[in-house]
Amino acid sequence: MKNISGYSKLSKEQKIDWLVKNYLHEDEQAKHELISYWHQDLETQKTLDEFSENTITNYFFPFSVAPNFLINGEWYCMPMAIEESSVVAAMSNAAKFWSERGGFKTEIIGTTKIGQVHFLYQGDIAKLKADFPQIKAQLLEGSKYITYNMEQRGGGVLDMELIDMTQHEPGYFQLKVSFETCDSMGANFINTCLEEYATSLKETVGKNPEYGIVKIIMSIVSNYTPQSLARATVSCKVEELGNFGAITAQEFAEKFRMAVKIAEVDPHRATTHNKGIYNGVDAVIIATGNDFRAVEACGHTYAARNGSYGSLTHCKVENGIFTFWIDLPLAVGTVGGLTQLHPLVKRSMQILGNPDAKQLMQICAVAGLAQNFAALRALTTVGIQQGHMKMHLLNILKHYDATEEEKEYALEYFKDKVVSFTTTRVMLEQYRSAKKEVK
Ligand code: MEV
């Protein structure tokens, strides 16, 4: 049977058995493989299992570090969870390069987060607007039991606005609430507050005949946090950039600035450009147990905030000074969520010196800037394939079960040739038949 009811109630072994029987051709080997990825420590495995639902095994992913990040005068080693080849190498190169030129400078521009109660209102709109200050005070008072702890930590609700959205849909209003959530990412806290506001709104306004009917549509955090923003910058004299082969420092600076400009004005290029930025950001976000979907969604919306999608990084070359920076909006947590639970997340935090949320935001901004610098440096000088091809070649060689000797030969052979599945296959065939003949 390809479908089942009550799957979630089965034990892990039963879940695997059902899967193997129905989707993996009753292959015992598949069952062993799935089980082989279980953690040997039962407690750790239990912790991992509980992060999600219907867990049957663990999905392995490389965990790397990129050392030599000098950020505001302190050394950092960047933990990265990413499967794409060349990203960590590029990150390490950029870190080393800028550590010799003053390092990265970072700052926090804001940490405000947003949540919304979306509702329909049928009644006296002018009265609702006029009385909103009292309604707001009542709602805020009613949520004190939820916000008390956060207030003790220095956070809480910053403001609440009534937004008239009736130009989009008759009766559509929002409570737009801004929050400070300190070292937690905040989604849980914000959603709890919002649901409380929704309930109170129905009570105070919806049940009061002086107003009208309130119909709550939904209450949810917004992952768009343009006011939770970190900036990272690198800067040096143009001549300190050094020459890149035949390309002078001046030429490089101009080409680089132009590459950023292209991503500022062209959405096709900007998408790839920003994707490269998130190669770095996501890797750190995943390593530190944060929500990379939220972080990416936020960044892409921010990149389109002026009505056209553009670059998250910017560059200027003025008075002989090269300056390159990123403004990265993001909501991260260093408490709550996976941060105290996932064993490698705990290690990542330790590697980073147990940062608070503001520090982690700045570290992520550095990761994005470093990754983008490395990508644009390659693109505007030697091209991206030179770095990628070695990995690509090794993957193809693995596919053809190449021996160590064949790998060595292939790396030399492809130094000045284009790598593809076909060229690698032909090379291997020739090499293998030449070897046979010698025998
Ligand atoms: C590949 O994962 C990322 C790049 O394409 C980014 C870019 O083009 O800027 C190299």
Side-chain angles (χ1 to χ4, degrees):
M1 282 281 278
K2 293 261 184 195
N3 65 331
I4 179 171
S5 71
Y7 185 70
S8 64
K9 307 270 180 324
L10 301 181
S11 72
K12 213 155 77 168
E13 286 83 351
Q14 288 169 327
K15 284 191 180 89
I16 292 180
D17 284 341
W18 181 86
L19 185 74
V20 169
K21 180 159 184 263
N22 293 287
Y23 285 89
L24 296 170
H25 317 292
E26 304 199 26
D27 177 0
E28 274 300 299
Q29 184 50 34
K31 180 176 172 180
H32 288 307
E33 186 191 80
L34 289 171
I35 291 174
S36 75
Y37 297 131
W38 288 359
H39 200 283
Q40 58 203 16
D41 178 61
L42 289 180
E43 268 310 300
T44 306
Q45 187 54 55
K46 191 166 176 291
T47 306
L48 295 171
D49 286 346
E50 286 169 359
F51 290 150
S52 182
E53 304 78 34
N54 289 349
T55 325
I56 54 169
T57 191
N58 306 306
Y59 180 95
F60 281 42
F61 215 59
F63 179 84
S64 315
V65 292
N68 298 323
F69 273 94
L70 185 61
I71 307 175
N72 301 333
E74 303 273 341
W75 289 106
Y76 287 84
C77 186
M78 207 69 94
M80 300 177 74
I82 184 157
E83 87 299 351
E84 187 176 328
S85 62
S86 305
V87 168
V88 177
M91 193 81 149
S92 305
N93 289 341
K96 188 103 201 323
F97 182 92
W98 284 107
S99 72
E100 289 155 6
R101 291 161 181 80
F104 294 81
K105 303 281 180 296
T106 62
E107 62 188 297
I108 287 291
I109 297 175
T111 54
T112 302
K113 285 141 197 177
I114 299 291
Q116 297 160 306
V117 177
H118 304 269
F119 66 98
L120 294 177
Y121 176 71
Q122 236 181 1
D124 185 343
I125 292 179
K127 182 164 173 58
L128 180 72
K129 287 185 179 175
D131 290 357
F132 187 68
Q134 293 94 276
I135 297 168
K136 170 175 157 180
Q138 232 174 312
L139 297 190
L140 293 179
E141 190 53 40
S143 69
K144 279 268 180 259
Y145 77 102
I146 304 169
T147 56
Y148 178 79
N149 271 345
M150 190 59 89
E151 281 160 17
Q152 297 305 101
R153 284 155 55 192
V157 182
L158 303 177
D159 197 11
M160 181 188 285
E161 293 167 84
L162 176 70
I163 311 281
D164 185 338
M165 302 289 283
T166 51
Q167 77 274 26
H168 300 290
E169 187 72 31
Y172 172 30
F173 286 83
Q174 283 179 11
L175 288 182
K176 185 178 177 199
V177 192
S178 48
F179 298 86
E180 169 56 57
T181 62
C182 304
D183 287 330
S184 60
M185 188 263 194
N188 262 333
F189 169 72
I190 292 175
N191 289 337
T192 309
C193 290
L194 295 173
E195 289 188 3
E196 174 67 28
Y197 298 140
T199 309
S200 310
L201 192 70
K202 270 196 299 193
E203 290 295 318
T204 52
V205 176
K207 290 204 176 145
N208 184 338
E210 287 179 29
Y211 294 103
I213 301 164
V214 169
K215 193 170 189 178
I216 302 295
I217 303 297
M218 58 187 165
S219 311
I220 186 76
V221 67
S222 168
N223 287 126
Y224 182 42
T225 57
Q227 292 158 318
S228 182
L229 196 66
R231 175 172 294 169
T233 310
V234 285
S235 183
C236 70
K237 288 189 186 140
V238 169
E239 69 255 26
E240 283 169 6
L241 289 168
N243 292 347
F244 296 85
I247 304 172
T248 66
Q250 186 63 45
E251 276 171 326
F252 169 72
E254 266 315 313
K255 274 185 96 173
F256 191 99
R257 189 195 63 77
M258 192 59 207
V260 177
K261 179 81 196 176
I262 292 167
E264 282 170 346
V265 298
D266 177 56
H268 276 98
R269 174 56 205 150
T271 306
T272 319
H273 177 99
N274 289 344
K275 185 272 182 190
I277 291 173
Y278 283 102
N279 278 345
V281 177
D282 283 355
V284 178
I285 288 287
I286 295 171
T288 57
N290 274 282
D291 181 345
F292 66 94
R293 286 86 56 208
V295 168
E296 277 226 20
C298 177
H300 294 305
T301 308
Y302 188 74
R305 71 195 179 286
N306 297 326
S308 165
Y309 185 85
S311 171
L312 287 168
T313 55
H314 306 283
C315 179
K316 62 181 181 188
V317 183
E318 277 172 16
N319 306 322
I321 306 286
F322 172 89
T323 309
F324 179 48
W325 73 98
I326 187 168
D327 283 346
L328 189 72
L330 74 170
V332 296
T334 52
V335 298
L338 289 195
T339 50
Q340 270 93 40
L341 300 173
H342 193 292
L344 277 178
V345 168
K346 277 196 269 185
R347 281 282 173 238
S348 297
M349 292 297 188
Q350 203 183 0
I351 292 168
L352 288 172
N354 291 318
D356 61 20
K358 284 184 187 162
Q359 287 164 330
L360 185 57
M361 284 169 72
Q362 293 169 83
I363 289 165
C364 290
V366 167
L369 190 71
Q371 196 62 45
N372 192 224
F373 178 78
L376 295 188
R377 181 170 65 161
L379 287 168
T380 55
T381 57
V382 292
I384 207 75
Q385 288 308 77
Q386 196 183 76
H388 278 185
M389 270 310 140
K390 189 172 165 200
M391 280 297 179
H392 187 45
L393 175 59
L394 289 174
N395 286 340
I396 298 175
L397 288 167
K398 198 178 283 168
H399 177 85
Y400 287 119
D401 291 324
T403 62
E404 284 307 311
E405 193 183 308
E406 287 168 345
K407 278 186 202 161
E408 213 171 290
Y409 175 77
L411 285 173
E412 193 54 40
Y413 176 87
F414 279 108
K415 267 198 173 141
D416 54 358
K417 294 180 189 64
V418 175
V419 176
S420 73
F421 264 87
T422 311
T423 53
T424 311
R425 181 175 46 76
V426 171
M427 181 232 81
L428 274 175
E429 280 166 4
Q430 284 169 353
Y431 183 80
R432 286 170 182 172
S433 70
K435 278 215 94 174
K436 253 191 215 151
E437 271 171 32
V438 172
K439 277 181 192 161

